[in-house]
C-alpha cells in the first residue's frame, strides 16, 4: 500500500476581516461623534452595545443604559 502523502507547510492564507471600528463613528458636519468609549480603557476602546447596556470587551466594564437611551 502506498503511503498517503500529507502535505505539510503553510496553510492557505485567508484574508482577515477588516476592522469595523470605523462604523462606530458618525460624522455630523465637521464633528465626529462617537459611540461610547470605555471610561477605564479610555478613548479608542468602544463599548459594545448589548441588551440595554454597554460592555467593554477589553476590561469587562459594563454600563447600564439610562432609560432615555433605551427609548431610542
Ligand atoms: Zn474597558
Amino acid at each position: 500500500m502506498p503511503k498517503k502523502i500529507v502535505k505539510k507547510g503553510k496553510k492557505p492564507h485567508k484574508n482577515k476581516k477588516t476592522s469595523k471600528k470605523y462604523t462606530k463613528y458618525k460624522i455630523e458636519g465637521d464633528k465626529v461623534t462617537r459611540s461610547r468609549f470605555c471610561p477605564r480603557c479610555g478613548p479608542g476602546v468602544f463599548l459594545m452595545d448589548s441588551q440595554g447596556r454597554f460592555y467593554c470587551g477589553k476590561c469587562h466594564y459594563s454600563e447600564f443604559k439610562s432609560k432615555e437611551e433605551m427609548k431610542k
Side-chain angles (χ1 to χ4, degrees):
M1 280 289 278
K3 277 185 182 178
K4 265 189 179 179
I5 298 166
V6 180
K7 280 185 180 176
K8 281 183 181 178
K10 283 185 178 177
K11 288 176 183 176
H13 181 261
K14 282 179 185 175
N15 284 326
K16 280 183 180 176
K17 284 178 186 174
T18 52
S19 172
K20 294 277 171 71
K21 257 187 177 178
Y22 63 89
T23 62
K24 303 283 184 187
Y25 288 95
K26 287 176 190 171
I27 299 170
E28 291 172 10
D30 295 332
K31 274 188 176 178
V32 179
T33 54
R34 80 271 190 286
S35 56
R36 282 191 120 85
F37 284 131
C38 177
R40 280 198 222 169
C41 300
V45 179
F46 292 106
L47 296 180
M48 198 177 75
D49 191 340
S50 164
Q51 293 172 357
R53 64 197 176 90
F54 295 103
Y55 175 75
C56 175
K58 204 176 180 183
C59 72
H60 308 285
Y61 169 88
S62 62
E63 184 179 287
F64 287 90
K65 283 183 184 178
S66 65
K67 281 180 184 176
E68 281 182 26
E69 277 174 301
M70 293 286 279
K71 283 177 188 173
K72 283 177 187 174

